[in-house]
Amino acid sequence: MAGRILITGGTGYIGSHTAVVLTQSGHDIVLYDNLSSSSDVILDALKEITGKPIPFVKGDVRDADRLVHTLKSHKIDAVMHFAGLKAVGESVEKPLEYFTNNIQGAISLLNALQTQSINTFIFSSSATVYGEPEYLPFDEEHPTNALNPYGRSKKHVEEILQDIASSNPALRIACLRYFNPVGAHESRLIGEIPKGNPNNLMPSIAQVAMGDREELCVFGDDYPTSDGTGVRDYIHVMDLAEGHAASLTFLESNTGWHAFNLGSGTGYSVMELIHAFEKEANCTIPYRITERLAGDIAEYYSNPDKAAKLLGWKTKRNLKKMCASTWKKTKLTLYSSDTISQK
Ligand code: NAD
Ligand code: UFG
């Protein structure tokens, strides 16, 4: 088993769920995060879920000295790199911020790892690296033509990782291309905490279900899909977290650079998601069809065969579970906030 693992972005949505899975499977971990989009209250939640305190370092991945010090003092053997910015729309408005955080951040981290001869690295990539589908489902051989600065930041880091893996045969690198992560840990103690107004579909549906928003805007119903609305491959965040543990095991016996799709292989439309959520929350989600979102892709979903074959991993939680856990978590979060408790 890999020794101690550093999780950058460890107090964020996917990092915190992965921290639970790794801790519960016996790994020693250290979280590293600048708390720009998360909070250290997550540390209490993680302690409650796992039954032990998780070491945490507050730091930025662009801070080389802090990184090197952390790697040395905690005797880190492997790194999972989640830290970064992730909003597509914001990346179009502030591309430099995205390139600085996501690309410069990754380079700074990789330099620090080199100083300590740490060879195992797992990178949070994204299905957005593929861009407009030339065929579906996306397999890992599909060309990568990311359409926005966020997607290009992921593509560039993947390429940097490919180059350094070619230059050093001791390196063990996995780029995990996530499809659409949703849901929350069953404890409801951790989950997605969107900054400001959520733009993504699942948190937006949950807000409408809570009565916090009047209606959902469905961005277009005239796509060439089963019911005209956009189709995506949603993956439960706990399945995603387990995919990271499986990748770590894979890298123990494999050097080189590897890309894996982490998705379910099934696409669901916006309307299918709305209806699945309505069943779990026992409510009706009012919606209005609006214009298509500029640059939105009609449909994409993964071919998850490579991960199944080489990682021995596939998704276990269905759409019902994804909606149920989102709903449970949303109720808890909103009812405990000041605004909702007054309702
Ligand atoms: P998140 O925003 O919840 O977590 C990211 C964490 O990184 C936050 O805790 C933030 O404080 C931290 N961070 C940001 N910049 C940092 C920096 N410079 N130094 C140190 N810490 C920093 O996001 P998430 O959904 O957990 O995503 C994790 C990773 O997965 C990201 O790299 C994201 O691009 C990628 N990803 C996410 C999705 C998704 O839909 N959630 C899809 C594909 C890929
Ligand atoms: N949608 C609506 N109404 C909304 C929000 C979304 O109809 O209020 C539709 C979108 O048009 C799309 C689908 O719901 O068809 C899913 O949209 P999301 O915004 O939830 O997800 P995206 O696939 O557009 O993008 C997400 C993340 C990216 C990530 C990508 C990975 O935002 O950061 O998944 O596949 F890279």
Side-chain angles (χ1 to χ4, degrees), residues 130 135 137-144 158 175 177 179 257-262 302-308:
Y130 293 121
Y135 58 84
F138 281 140
D139 58 28
E140 290 82 355
E141 304 308 313
H142 187 283
T144 51
E158 281 204 3
C175 293
R177 296 174 177 165
F179 281 69
W257 179 95
H258 310 269
F260 293 104
N261 285 340
L262 296 187
S302 67
N303 176 338
D305 291 351
K306 186 177 173 191

Side-chain angles (χ1 to χ4, degrees), residues 172-187:
R172 300 161 186 272
I173 295 175
C175 293
L176 305 182
R177 296 174 177 165
Y178 311 158
F179 281 69
N180 286 50
V182 295
H185 186 261
E186 59 185 8
S187 66

Side-chain angles (χ1 to χ4, degrees), residues 244-323:
H244 288 73
S247 304
L248 198 61
T249 307
F250 169 81
L251 292 180
E252 280 169 20
S253 43
N254 291 278
T255 55
W257 179 95
H258 310 269
F260 293 104
N261 285 340
L262 296 187
S264 73
T266 304
Y268 287 103
S269 72
V270 174
M271 292 313 300
E272 284 173 316
L273 200 64
I274 292 175
H275 294 321
F277 200 97
E278 285 177 331
K279 270 195 192 156
E280 291 315 304
N282 194 22
C283 71
T284 301
I285 307 286
Y287 67 85
R288 181 164 52 95
I289 307 293
T290 62
E291 292 286 287
R292 291 179 179 192
L293 208 60
D296 216 7
I297 295 174
E299 175 169 32
Y300 65 86
Y301 47 93
S302 67
N303 176 338
D305 291 351
K306 186 177 173 191
K309 193 168 160 213
L310 298 184
L311 306 181
W313 168 92
K314 56 182 180 185
T315 59
K316 295 192 286 220
R317 296 157 179 94
N318 58 18
L319 192 63
K320 180 177 162 63
K321 274 222 157 83
M322 299 183 215
C323 294

Side-chain angles (χ1 to χ4, degrees), residues 9 11-14 33-38 59-62 82-84 86 101 124-126 150 154 178 181:
T11 46
Y13 173 44
I14 306 170
D33 201 300
N34 67 0
L35 302 179
S36 59
S37 338
S38 57
D60 195 290
V61 286
R62 291 160 294 180
F82 295 91
K86 63 167 182 177
N101 238 286
S124 294
S125 188
S126 167
Y150 166 71
K154 294 293 177 188
Y178 311 158

